[in-house]
């Protein structure tokens, strides 16, 4: 199975408070954009590999990726965590990750990264969603949607949204999602910052420190997503520009002061609005249409590690069968 899974942007993100478990209550509006990771899952090993999952006692899992040193390849990778969670749910033990045995079924997971890493675009969460959807099909499990959603929520706050993609309003820690009516398309310039990514927990901690100091936005009256929801209903880009909001922006900028200049550069390049994507450090420039987005991007290419022109909303994870005998990775 091959799963193409899109990145997300937060059109609106309001932090409503710190919970006892260390997570934060959020109100956020998420939309997928057409920047994708691709996960290919194949079954190898013994003839048992074709048997029903319930007949298997043990499954080896092997992950490879092209995401560079910032993407873990060990058990902490969300793809492997999702696979292990699914196996646990099925009562199947996880075998070896390094030395699969020819006599045991082995699932190989090959991840091709197109979504910027540690960048505030839910790349890891998208990969976890891709693993859940792809392995459910590969292993012919046919789990109920509710069970997949439950596994997704345990894997990370953005994973339930990534299971479906599209446009959603999320509350709680971000796991309670409802679909939102969205007309039309929006064009974005996605600017990958140079240097290291940002750690999401550190950005939330910086947000709390700013709020405690009275400088944070959350110390004021909470913002509401009404303008963004109205902009989505009407497809009005100017209204969307007015409503865009990210409570984590000030925190991300406090950790990476260079982002303030970056935001200014995105505005100067002609974007209708500029904001930090999720917990950063990727910056987003809203454009009027694809042509405008390309023009904005052209003016920014020298300043950022990479600049992408994308559209929203992209569909959710798309599963396709890998033709037998084909190379494991399709050309980009
Ligand atoms: O759920 P996920 O693993 O993606 O979250 C990463 C980190 O971001 C959490 O460990 C937590 O520190 C922070 N977070 C939070 N409140 C949320 C979502 C994430 O504090 N609603």
């Amino acid at each position: 199975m091959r799963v193409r899974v899109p990145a997300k942007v937060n059109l609106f993100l309001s932090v409503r408070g710190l919970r006892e478990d260390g997570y934060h209550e959020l109100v956020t509006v998420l939309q997928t954009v057409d920047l994708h990771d691709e996960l290919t899952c194949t079954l190898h090993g013994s003839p048992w590999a074709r048997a029903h999952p319930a007949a298997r006692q043990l499954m080896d899992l092997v992950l490879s990726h092209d995401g560079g040193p910032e993407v873990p390849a060990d058990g902490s990778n969300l793809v492997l965590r999702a696979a292990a969670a699914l196996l646990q749910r099925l009562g199947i033990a996880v075998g070896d990750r390094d030395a699969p045995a020819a006599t045991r079924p082995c699932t190989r997971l090959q991840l091709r990264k197109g979504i910027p890493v540690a960048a505030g675009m839910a790349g890891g969460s998208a990969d976890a969603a891709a693993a859940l959807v792809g392995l459910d099909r590969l292993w012919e499990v046919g789990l109920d949607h509710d069970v997949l959603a439950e596994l997704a929520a345990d894997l990370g706050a953005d994973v339930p949204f990534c299971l479906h993609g599209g446009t959603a309003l999320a509350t709680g820690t971000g796991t309670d999602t409802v679909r939102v009516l969205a007309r039309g398309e929006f064009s974005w310039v996605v600017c990958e910052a140079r240097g290291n990514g940002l750690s999401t927990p550190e950005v939330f901690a910086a947000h709390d420190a700013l709020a405690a100091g009275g400088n944070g936005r959350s110390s004021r009256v909470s913002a509401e997503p009404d303008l963004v929801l109205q902009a989505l209903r009407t497809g009005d880009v100017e209204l969307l520009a007015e409503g865009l909001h990210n409570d984590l922006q000030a925190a991300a900028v406090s950790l990476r002061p260079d982002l303030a200049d970056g935001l200014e550069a995105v505005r100067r390049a002609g974007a209708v609005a500029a904001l930090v994507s999720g917990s950063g450090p990727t910056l987003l420039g809203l454009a009027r249409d694809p042509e405008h987005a390309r023009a904005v991007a052209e003016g920014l290419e020298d300043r950022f590690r990479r600049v992408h022109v994308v559209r929203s909303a992209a569909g959710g994870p798309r599963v396709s069968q890998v033709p037998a005998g084909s190379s494991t990775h399709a050309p980009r």
Side-chain angles (χ1 to χ4, degrees), residues 31 166-167 179-186 229 231-235 313:
Q31 191 166 53
T167 312
R179 267 173 181 279
V180 161
L181 177 65
R183 277 203 194 92
E185 271 185 353
F186 294 105
L229 296 174
L232 286 167
R233 279 195 299 274
T234 55

Side-chain angles (χ1 to χ4, degrees), residues 179-205:
R179 267 173 181 279
V180 161
L181 177 65
R183 277 203 194 92
E185 271 185 353
F186 294 105
S187 292
W188 295 94
V189 181
V190 173
C191 306
E192 285 189 51
R194 293 209 172 103
N196 292 336
L198 281 172
S199 136
T200 308
E202 283 174 22
V203 175
F204 272 101

Side-chain angles (χ1 to χ4, degrees), residues 91-175:
I92 297 171
V94 179
D96 213 306
R97 292 201 172 104
D98 301 317
T103 50
R104 288 199 298 261
C106 170
T107 299
R108 289 189 186 273
L109 299 144
Q110 288 180 288
L111 180 61
R112 183 168 189 158
K113 294 295 296 178
I115 304 175
V117 177
M121 300 199 77
S125 303
D127 299 343
L132 289 177
V133 172
L135 293 175
D136 182 65
R137 286 276 289 276
L138 179 74
W139 296 338
E140 296 173 16
V141 183
L143 279 184
D144 270 1
H145 167 260
D146 290 355
V147 178
L148 280 181
E150 202 182 292
L151 291 173
D154 285 343
L155 288 163
D158 285 332
V159 186
F161 168 72
C162 291
L163 271 184
H164 298 287
T167 312
L169 173 70
T171 52
T173 59
T175 57

Side-chain angles (χ1 to χ4, degrees), residues 171-330:
T171 52
T173 59
T175 57
D176 300 332
T177 59
V178 285
R179 267 173 181 279
V180 161
L181 177 65
R183 277 203 194 92
E185 271 185 353
F186 294 105
S187 292
W188 295 94
V189 181
V190 173
C191 306
E192 285 189 51
R194 293 209 172 103
N196 292 336
L198 281 172
S199 136
T200 308
E202 283 174 22
V203 175
F204 272 101
H207 169 272
D208 293 345
L210 286 175
N215 298 322
R217 282 187 154 159
S218 62
S219 60
R220 303 210 299 261
V221 177
S222 296
E224 295 297 338
D226 303 20
L227 273 187
V228 164
L229 296 174
Q230 200 185 329
L232 286 167
R233 279 195 299 274
T234 55
D236 183 333
V237 68
E238 303 292 339
L239 198 59
L240 182 64
E242 217 180 305
L244 289 173
H245 176 85
N246 183 1
D247 268 349
L248 295 179
Q249 179 157 309
V253 172
S254 76
L255 295 171
R256 291 255 332 228
D258 60 308
L259 296 183
D261 286 346
L263 287 165
E264 191 45 42
V266 175
R267 281 185 210 108
R268 269 204 318 270
V272 186
L275 87 163
V276 170
S277 177
S279 55
T282 301
L283 303 182
L284 303 171
L286 179 62
R288 281 190 294 278
D289 52 47
E291 201 179 325
H292 180 219
R294 280 190 290 275
V296 171
E298 226 167 83
L300 292 168
E301 262 149 20
D302 292 343
R303 204 184 183 293
F304 292 95
R305 187 195 319 193
R306 250 185 307 175
V307 177
H308 312 263
V309 169
V310 303
R311 290 193 215 186
S312 63
R318 222 178 57 219
V319 188
S320 59
Q321 193 110 28
V322 183
S326 82
S327 86
T328 25
H329 278 143

